[in-house]
Amino acid sequence: MDKNPAVPKVVATDAALELIRVVRAKHGPVMFHQSGGCCDGSSPMCYPIGEFLVGDSDVLMGEIGGAPFYMSKAQYEYWKYTQLIIDVVPGRGGMFSLEGPEGKRFLTRSRVFTQEEMQTLGLM
């Protein structure tokens, strides 16, 4: 996880935090894994804790709404200079993601860290 929580690697919009609350009320504790493509495209997938197994090939990016957020190490190498911003848009989520029935889906936006933030995170 972040060595410096003042510069989070993943954050969530108010809309995403509200949808996380809705999903948690229905399913209990949840976690996220950033999908790398294939069936569900490149979207953040929301699962009940324990349903998606993470391991040595995954990086804990941080937490959003009390839910841990992971990404594969290989994918992290491409994204490590960016902050992930988890948002919500209308539509159906990934077929295995819990928010699907809500008529909304989580979406990953991003921004490149500033040079100062990269130095703080030890990326330079």
Side-chain angles (χ1 to χ4, degrees):
M1 183 138 74
D2 278 339
K3 293 177 180 146
N4 187 334
V7 184
K9 291 184 180 175
V10 61
V11 297
T13 64
D14 289 342
L17 293 172
E18 178 57 31
L19 186 53
I20 292 168
R21 282 190 284 277
V22 168
V23 170
R24 289 178 81 171
K26 291 183 178 183
H27 301 280
V30 298
M31 55 87 64
F32 286 86
H33 194 279
Q34 177 65 42
S35 174
C38 184
C39 305
D40 291 312
S42 184
S43 56
M45 302 293 289
C46 183
Y47 301 103
I49 292 281
E51 185 175 299
F52 185 94
L53 299 179
V54 295
D56 292 341
S57 63
D58 296 296
V59 174
L60 177 61
M61 303 289 293
E63 290 187 358
I64 54 172
F69 193 101
Y70 294 88
M71 175 184 281
S72 74
K73 278 184 185 178
Q75 191 174 13
Y76 174 73
E77 285 304 309
Y78 291 106
W79 289 73
K80 68 183 172 185
Y81 299 106
T82 60
Q83 182 180 61
L84 304 181
I85 303 160
I86 308 308
D87 201 0
V88 172
V89 293
R92 299 249 329 140
M95 76 172 91
F96 302 111
S97 195
L98 293 175
E99 82 278 8
E102 305 304 319
K104 300 174 184 176
R105 67 182 183 90
F106 291 108
L107 175 77
T108 301
R109 301 180 193 282
S110 64
R111 71 167 184 89
V112 175
F113 286 122
T114 65
Q115 285 201 352
E116 181 179 302
E117 289 170 325
M118 283 191 234
Q119 286 177 323
T120 300
L121 289 167
L123 297 172
M124 293 183 73

